[in-house]
Amino acid sequence: VPKTAEKHTHHKELSLRLCVLSLLDSTGVSAFPDGIGELRQLEGLQADGCPLLAPYNSLYEKDPLLLVKLHDTQLSALDLSDTGLETVPEQLFRMTQLTSLNLLKNNIRELPQQLGDLRQLQQLLLKGNLLRQPYLRIMDAKGELALPVFLRSEGAAGVLDIEGCGFDHLPKEVWELPGRVQGLLQINLTNNRLRDLPNELSVLTNLTQLILDNNLLRKLPDVVLSLTSLAVLMASNNNITHLPETISTMQCLQALIVHSNEIMQLPESITTLTHLRALGLTSNKLWQLPPGLAACGGLRLLDCSHNLLSRLPEG
């Protein structure tokens, strides 16, 4: 397609009948230029006989003018439903003004990270595709609009919220997506089915808050102890039986909340957490507290109700 075609913005019909579209033929048409989206007055587009490449071929079969709309960077709503798409067209990622995107009933399996760049989206329709995990679980639990947020390196302003998605293993996209190491500050994994966390999570060195409430943990995952920037760690309503002595490595910890577990005794090393301000231990099986707990002079909240304690340590 000649680039000069995009200058004729008032053309009502553009004919490409029997053009040769081939990346191997330097004399033929190889692609539609981005500027074709400027032809907003176009009422017809004919490209019969052109061996259009994906995704142009399936879009052309549904509605030839979709090829124009796909390149219109001022468009606010785009309907690509039931067009046989197998991938999300990369041209979409230039359409930063989109507020509504309909991709219903296609054959899309993978979601590119660039989908997160469409920050104006207020409606995203993706059901009826072949989405792989973890995207399907996130969509079912939190809706389609949660997917672009999940794909952004920083989540939502540094927070990655995948609460209630039913994960029994943490998806690799949590730490593998480009920009995650610098972008993520908080992760909410509440109400999943996690029994452990992968060691690869240790790359998220900027994490300051981790919420693990309502999972199936029997102990604090080893990788948590390597996240030494954590200020807030919450792991209530699990099956944790003890806290490790190596918790002393978490010197930035300000709040440790582990209500409703099976903890019988605290490690003496917890007394070295000099920045600790809140310690929540409600509804465990504690029968004593470390004598040196009084050394945590900064502690402002100690909640150890509903345990087996007969007395508190002096001081």
Side-chain angles (χ1 to χ4, degrees):
V1 178
K3 291 187 176 181
T4 54
E6 64 201 58
K7 297 180 180 179
H8 301 288
T9 56
H10 297 292
H11 279 191
K12 295 294 185 179
E13 184 168 347
L14 180 63
S15 177
L16 300 177
R17 189 174 298 275
L18 297 180
C19 286
V20 176
L21 182 59
S22 171
L23 294 176
L24 300 178
D25 182 357
S26 61
T27 63
V29 176
S30 60
F32 289 94
D34 292 334
I36 199 173
E38 301 292 326
L39 303 178
R40 298 184 181 92
Q41 304 299 317
L42 208 61
E43 295 180 356
L45 171 63
Q46 292 183 335
D48 299 351
C50 295
L52 297 175
L53 301 176
Y56 300 122
N57 52 355
S58 60
L59 296 179
Y60 182 78
E61 289 179 10
K62 178 69 179 286
D63 178 0
L65 288 179
L66 285 177
L67 301 180
V68 177
K69 293 179 180 180
L70 187 61
H71 292 83
D72 186 352
T73 57
Q74 296 183 20
L75 210 62
S76 61
L78 182 61
D79 184 353
L80 299 179
S81 61
D82 199 18
T83 53
L85 290 174
E86 296 184 357
T87 60
V88 179
E90 62 180 23
Q91 291 83 0
L92 276 178
F93 310 133
R94 298 176 61 250
M95 305 177 68
T96 55
Q97 303 303 310
L98 279 181
T99 59
S100 176
L101 176 59
N102 186 347
L103 294 170
L104 288 171
K105 298 180 181 179
N106 282 290
N107 299 311
I108 298 169
R109 173 175 170 77
E110 185 66 51
L111 294 179
Q113 190 175 12
Q114 297 96 315
L115 190 64
D117 295 335
L118 301 180
R119 296 175 182 267
Q120 304 300 319
L121 279 182
Q122 300 174 20
Q123 181 183 52
L124 175 63
L125 303 176
L126 275 166
K127 292 182 178 179
N129 280 280
L130 304 174
L131 293 179
R132 70 170 178 86
Q133 302 295 1
Y135 307 125
L136 189 57
R137 282 187 182 273
I138 294 172
M139 181 178 72
D140 288 344
K142 308 182 79 65
E144 286 103 318
L145 282 176
L147 291 169
V149 177
F150 176 77
L151 289 165
R152 290 175 197 150
S153 59
E154 78 282 10
V159 180
L160 186 64
D161 182 359
I162 47 178
E163 176 180 354
C165 293
F167 290 124
D168 50 17
H169 293 86
L170 199 62
K172 63 182 181 180
E173 288 80 6
V174 170
W175 66 88
E176 277 194 353
L177 288 180
R180 285 290 203 223
V181 174
Q182 297 80 19
L184 281 188
L185 302 176
Q186 303 176 23
I187 301 181
N188 183 3
L189 300 174
T190 302
N191 289 322
N192 281 283
R193 300 163 57 191
L194 299 169
R195 297 179 182 275
D196 203 354
L197 294 178
N199 290 332
E200 289 85 349
L201 204 65
S202 62
V203 300
L204 302 180
T205 54
N206 289 335
L207 274 188
T208 60
Q209 181 171 307
L210 179 61
I211 306 178
L212 295 166
D213 296 342
N214 296 301
N215 278 281
L216 301 175
L217 302 173
R218 292 186 176 275
K219 67 184 183 80
L220 280 184
D222 293 339
V223 69
V224 171
L225 303 173
S226 69
L227 300 173
T228 54
S229 294
L230 279 183
V232 177
L233 175 58
M234 304 172 67
S236 296
N237 293 295
N238 281 278
N239 300 309
I240 297 171
T241 58
H242 69 284
L243 299 179
E245 285 287 346
T246 48
I247 200 169
S248 59
T249 61
M250 306 182 73
Q251 285 298 311
C252 292
L253 207 58
Q254 298 179 30
L256 176 60
I257 311 298
V258 286
H259 299 309
S260 300
N261 279 285
E262 305 290 325
I263 301 170
M264 299 180 65
Q265 191 170 359
L266 296 181
E268 184 65 32
S269 63
I270 202 170
T271 64
T272 67
L273 301 179
T274 56
H275 292 93
L276 198 62
R277 299 291 180 268
L279 181 57
L281 302 164
T282 300
S283 299
N284 278 279
K285 296 182 178 180
L286 292 167
W287 57 275
Q288 69 173 6
L289 295 177
L293 195 61
C296 297
L299 201 59
R300 296 292 179 267
L301 173 65
L302 173 60
D303 188 350
C304 53
S305 56
H306 301 289
N307 278 280
L308 305 176
L309 298 170
S310 58
R311 63 187 179 87
L312 296 177
E314 295 182 2

